[in-house]
Amino acid sequence: MKIKILSLAVLFILTSCNPPKTHEIKVTRIIDGDSFVAENIRYRISEIDSPEISQDFGKKKKKALSNLILHKSVEIKSKGKDKYNREIVEVKINGSDVADLMVANGFAWQYKRYSTDRNLSNLELKARKGKRGLWKYKAVNPYQYRKSKNNSK
């Protein structure tokens, strides 16, 4: 019994010491302002939420993400899967965090349901104050937009 407990403890320590691995992929398609495809796998950028394609500014935000990462190599770190079976990932291009870039330029919100990152929060606040991107207008948070669409069905 003691050996089993000790074995489990060692296994737990070894697996918890291995942080998620990063690897490089080439982006082949942009779905919207926070999702893309690479190697036939759908990815969603962690901690941000961008307007839906059918929403005001949705196509502009898709274009913004396209300009940043389409047909380029990016470094990703997996955070798990979402309810749509998309891989949730941190994404970096040339050492810069794509979520930070999208939020700082007013192309996305910090997805506060899943993020407590203070840096991202500060970047959103600066973008709002500077009226960058969607903050020039009365933009509707994508979460609220999806919720109202689902309630109207």
Side-chain angles (χ1 to χ4, degrees), residues 3 14 21 41 46 49 51 53 74 76 78 96 109 117 122-123 127 133 149 153:
I3 292 174
L14 289 174
K21 293 184 177 139
I41 299 170
S46 68
D49 202 9
I53 292 296
V74 297
I76 61 168
S78 180
S96 296
W109 278 257
D117 184 311
N122 289 334
L123 290 171
K149 279 188 78 168
K153 288 182 181 178

Side-chain angles (χ1 to χ4, degrees), residues 30-35 45 48 50-51 53 58 61-62 65 102:
I30 302 297
I31 297 168
D32 57 24
D34 54 36
S35 303
I45 301 171
I48 66 169
S50 191
I53 292 296
K61 304 321 166 207
K62 177 182 178 179
L65 186 60
M102 292 294 286

Side-chain angles (χ1 to χ4, degrees), residues 34-116:
D34 54 36
S35 303
F36 63 92
V37 175
E39 301 169 355
N40 293 318
I41 299 170
R42 293 181 83 147
Y43 295 93
R44 187 174 197 298
I45 301 171
S46 68
E47 302 192 48
I48 66 169
D49 202 9
S50 191
E52 300 295 319
I53 292 296
S54 59
Q55 197 175 348
D56 290 342
F57 320 113
K59 290 179 182 167
K60 287 182 182 180
K61 304 321 166 207
K62 177 182 178 179
K63 179 77 172 145
L65 186 60
S66 293
N67 290 341
L68 271 176
I69 66 172
L70 184 60
H71 304 302
K72 296 176 185 169
S73 291
V74 297
E75 187 178 288
I76 61 168
K77 184 188 326 184
S78 180
K79 299 293 198 171
K81 292 201 180 227
D82 68 6
K83 65 182 180 180
Y84 304 108
N85 207 31
R86 294 176 297 186
E87 197 72 33
I88 304 295
V89 290
E90 283 181 15
V91 184
K92 293 196 180 213
I93 185 154
N94 301 322
S96 296
D97 188 284
V98 172
D100 288 355
L101 295 170
M102 292 294 286
V103 170
N105 288 296
F107 300 137
W109 278 257
Q110 177 184 23
Y111 204 168
K112 291 182 173 74
R113 276 185 89 190
Y114 302 104
S115 171
T116 57

